[in-house]
Amino acid sequence: MPEISTIRAALFVDFDNIFLNFHNQDQDLAKAFATRPERWLKWLVESKLPLPGNGVDRRILIRRCYLNPSSFGDFRPYFTKAAFEVIDCPPLTSRGKTSTDVHMVMDILETLHHYPSIDEFIVLSGDADFTPVLIKLRKHDRRTSVLAVGYASPAYKASADHVFDLDDFISTGIGFVEIEAAQDVPAADVKTQTSLIDRMASRVLEVVSESGPVQAADLPKIFREFKEFGRDTNWLGFGTLRRLSQELVNCREGLVLLDEDPWKIGLQGPPVADVTVIEQPVGSSEVTPDNRQRIEEFIVETVRSSPVPVVLAKMAHLLGMRFGSGLTESQWFGSGSFKSLLGQLNLPGIEMSSLLPGFLYDPSVHPAPEEKMDSLQVKIHNITDTPLLPTEHYQILFRCLANEVNANGYSLSRTSKAVRDCCAEEGATVARSHVNFVLLGLGHVRYRFQQGQVEAATLSQKFYENVLNLCRSSQISLSDEDTASVKEWITGNQ
């Protein structure tokens, strides 16, 4: 089969769906999306395709935007300027229901049958009504990519070959990045802390070298090994855990702050002494049977020789050190993620646990990682994507969210980052995707943040209501006892 060099794509934008979901979270974000289509269109074109091979380009040959001219006609010129065909979908009912879905489905099917050269269909909408058409496109061997803003059913996302990362779309695509206010640390204070920071950095380097990347939530445990450090130190004058961690990274060669979800401190540069680097590292696009086999053998040997299940993040880190940066630069051989690559490898006897933070283990060597959640919570998570967090972490999340909004107001990008870091400071492993899920869920039950008036108890109650709505829409039948269990899980109250 000849190597693919160009993907020909057709783009269909459900403007009302994307704009309104953004608007519910941040008015400026919605406006940026509506007035900068040429910017995020360029991002779509330049986004790395999760396909094997080098030099695969995306050409968007068909660009169509569907909007309600009564409400959003002012944004038409921006899309016209970006060479979109703008299709008017005026309201047809007194409740404002438009024909966008019908128009989009008809145009997608028409494109499928009349433009056989189109390889990929890109749909910007979180509406689950498009699930059947995505399945039909797959039957016709067409690639599908979607961007879902707000809650999108797992079935909708599973029907697509690729789901664009929402944070990446917002920050890189739209270019909506809120600059975090810098906090100056008095020079005298920094100077007096130099010795302590140096010792803390050395200790972090030691832990990372032995056990792999350390998540943000686990860093305070390391810091508290030093008697000079305490909760009342204001993170040694740096204000936040992240700023202090960045200072540790800056003063110790070999450490790097990994801006993942959640963020971590890991190693950079030369690997640790007990890991041998292969002389011929895996290239950025090589997917040969030989290097695939070497990776498989390395994973199996590492897991079986480990006394405990291996955390996925640690395994990814070890692979990067052993085989070179080509793995991550190629987005794991075009798989898009390390988890996706694992699903394609032959790893005899090795099991993967989806329990956070994710593990690889050999059942003949290791006991299966313990399930810390009851079966109902796991079921709800698997079907609705509700974060599988323990109750105490939910309580920390809601408390951090209330404090952040009351102190600084609400803005989707800034708030989600601040709450994630606040949870880490309190020892809760909460990813930014978890925070975003909660924020979007609160929007779906029409909760509106008002600075100075946000209470954690109210947030937990509203999000609990959203979880019940997700269960109903996903046809999860809950008894009275189940409902009480869900309430206790989310709010901590029966």
Side-chain angles (χ1 to χ4, degrees):
M1 180 181 292
E3 184 175 304
I4 299 173
S5 60
T6 302
I7 291 290
R8 297 172 179 82
L11 170 63
F12 303 87
V13 181
D14 183 350
F15 181 91
D16 298 21
N17 178 279
I18 301 293
F19 182 88
L20 291 174
N21 273 290
F22 276 149
H23 192 271
N24 286 338
Q25 302 305 317
D26 192 301
Q27 296 182 20
D28 292 334
L29 172 59
K31 184 177 180 181
F33 161 76
T35 57
R36 302 176 188 172
E38 71 288 342
R39 175 162 183 155
W40 51 257
L41 181 66
K42 184 174 183 289
W43 177 82
L44 287 175
V45 171
E46 296 178 350
S47 293
K48 286 187 177 180
L49 290 162
L51 292 171
N54 240 353
V56 181
D57 299 321
R58 174 186 280 128
R59 294 188 62 204
I60 301 180
L61 304 182
I62 297 174
R63 309 171 184 177
R64 289 177 181 163
C65 174
Y66 303 78
L67 59 74
N68 178 351
S70 302
S71 303
F72 306 116
D74 290 344
F75 297 115
R76 170 192 288 273
Y78 297 102
F79 283 81
T80 302
K81 181 181 177 182
F84 276 83
E85 298 175 65
V86 179
I87 291 86
D88 287 340
C89 300
L92 302 177
T93 69
S94 58
R95 294 185 178 182
K97 176 66 177 176
T98 69
S99 58
T100 296
D101 295 358
V102 175
H103 274 293
M104 286 182 66
V105 169
M106 290 176 62
D107 285 353
I108 289 173
L109 294 179
E110 180 184 74
T111 302
L112 171 65
H113 293 293
H114 293 282
Y115 296 88
S117 62
I118 296 297
D119 307 301
E120 179 187 33
F121 289 74
I122 304 173
V123 179
L124 303 194
S125 175
D127 195 330
D129 289 347
F130 292 111
T131 301
V133 77
L134 293 178
I135 293 174
K136 187 173 184 67
L137 290 169
R138 177 177 291 171
K139 289 179 181 179
H140 284 264
D141 195 25
R142 296 300 196 277
R143 177 177 177 76
T144 55
S145 298
V146 301
L147 173 77
V149 179
Y151 173 75
S153 72
Y156 175 67
K157 292 185 286 187
S159 301
D161 295 301
H162 177 64
V163 179
F164 292 110
D165 182 79
L166 180 58
D167 282 340
D168 199 16
F169 179 80
I170 291 173
S171 61
T172 309
I174 298 177
F176 187 78
V177 179
E178 294 176 303
I179 305 301
E180 188 175 348
Q183 179 167 327
D184 294 329
V185 182
D189 292 346
V190 174
K191 185 175 181 179
T192 59
Q193 301 291 358
T194 299
S195 174
L196 175 59
I197 290 175
D198 186 67
R199 285 182 286 129
M200 289 170 62
S202 296
R203 176 57 179 153
V204 172
L205 178 61
E206 179 183 343
V207 173
V208 171
S209 299
E210 292 177 353
S211 307
V214 178
Q215 292 192 5
D218 295 326
L219 287 170
K221 301 174 187 176
I222 300 175
F223 298 164
R224 292 187 187 108
E225 294 178 11
F226 299 86
K227 62 182 181 180
E228 303 96 326
F229 183 89
R231 285 185 179 274
D232 59 344
T233 60
N234 190 31
W235 303 100
L236 299 181
F238 289 90
T240 68
L241 169 63
R242 189 180 178 96
R243 291 193 184 100
L244 172 57
S245 300
Q246 186 63 63
E247 180 65 19
L248 296 178
V249 167
N250 292 342
C251 78
R252 178 64 70 247
E253 185 177 354
L255 289 178
V256 62
L257 196 148
L258 304 172
D259 199 11
E260 300 175 2
D261 192 16
W263 59 271
K264 310 172 180 68
I265 290 183
L267 287 175
Q268 68 174 357
V272 291
D274 60 342
V275 178
T276 303
V277 180
I278 289 180
E279 294 181 2
Q280 299 284 332
V282 175
S284 62
S285 63
E286 297 177 275
V287 194
T288 66
D290 179 58
N291 62 46
R292 181 183 292 271
Q293 182 179 355
R294 286 188 291 152
I295 290 172
E296 292 170 343
E297 290 174 349
F298 178 78
I299 292 175
V300 172
E301 180 182 352
T302 302
V303 173
R304 287 180 177 166
S305 63
S306 172
V308 295
V310 180
V311 176
L312 291 183
K314 179 179 179 180
M315 179 59 74
H317 181 67
L318 291 174
L319 284 170
M321 291 194 298
R322 185 170 180 89
F323 295 100
S325 61
L327 279 171
T328 53
E329 290 173 357
S330 66
Q331 292 194 341
W332 302 99
F333 285 149
S335 299
S337 69
F338 178 49
K339 278 188 178 181
S340 297
L341 175 62
L342 287 175
Q344 301 171 21
L345 298 178
N346 178 28
L347 305 172
I350 304 301
E351 301 287 340
M352 181 167 64
S353 170
S354 60
L355 288 177
L356 292 176
F359 301 89
L360 289 174
Y361 68 101
D362 183 343
S364 66
V365 178
H366 316 109
E370 275 190 26
E371 182 62 79
K372 298 182 180 179
M373 301 287 180
D374 65 34
S375 58
L376 176 61
Q377 295 169 5
V378 174
K379 179 180 180 180
I380 292 174
H381 164 71
N382 289 338
I383 297 177
T384 69
D385 285 342
T386 299
L388 196 59
L389 300 174
T391 301
E392 55 270 25
H393 286 190
Y394 267 120
Q395 292 176 327
I396 292 173
L397 190 159
F398 294 127
R399 184 169 65 250
C400 286
L401 177 55
N403 292 340
E404 169 62 24
V405 175
N406 285 334
N408 301 309
Y410 176 76
S411 176
L412 175 62
S413 180
R414 186 193 67 244
T415 300
S416 63
K417 289 180 181 178
V419 172
R420 175 201 60 188
D421 292 344
C422 173
C423 290
E425 292 174 2
E426 297 202 24
T429 304
V430 176
R432 191 177 175 194
S433 59
H434 297 153
V435 181
N436 282 336
F437 191 97
V438 170
L439 295 176
L440 294 172
L442 293 171
H444 282 297
V445 292
R446 301 188 183 282
Y447 178 82
R448 295 293 178 265
F449 292 101
Q450 296 184 27
Q451 186 173 358
Q453 301 180 32
V454 182
E455 297 181 355
T458 302
L459 296 176
S460 65
Q461 176 64 30
K462 290 297 182 181
F463 184 67
Y464 156 69
E465 294 172 9
N466 177 69
V467 173
L468 291 186
N469 290 340
L470 293 179
C471 290
R472 294 189 193 101
S473 63
S474 301
Q475 300 181 352
I476 301 177
S477 180
L478 299 177
S479 65
D480 291 342
E481 183 180 355
D482 291 338
T483 302
S485 176
V486 174
K487 184 174 184 179
E488 183 177 7
W489 172 35
I490 299 298
T491 70
N493 301 316
Q494 294 186 342

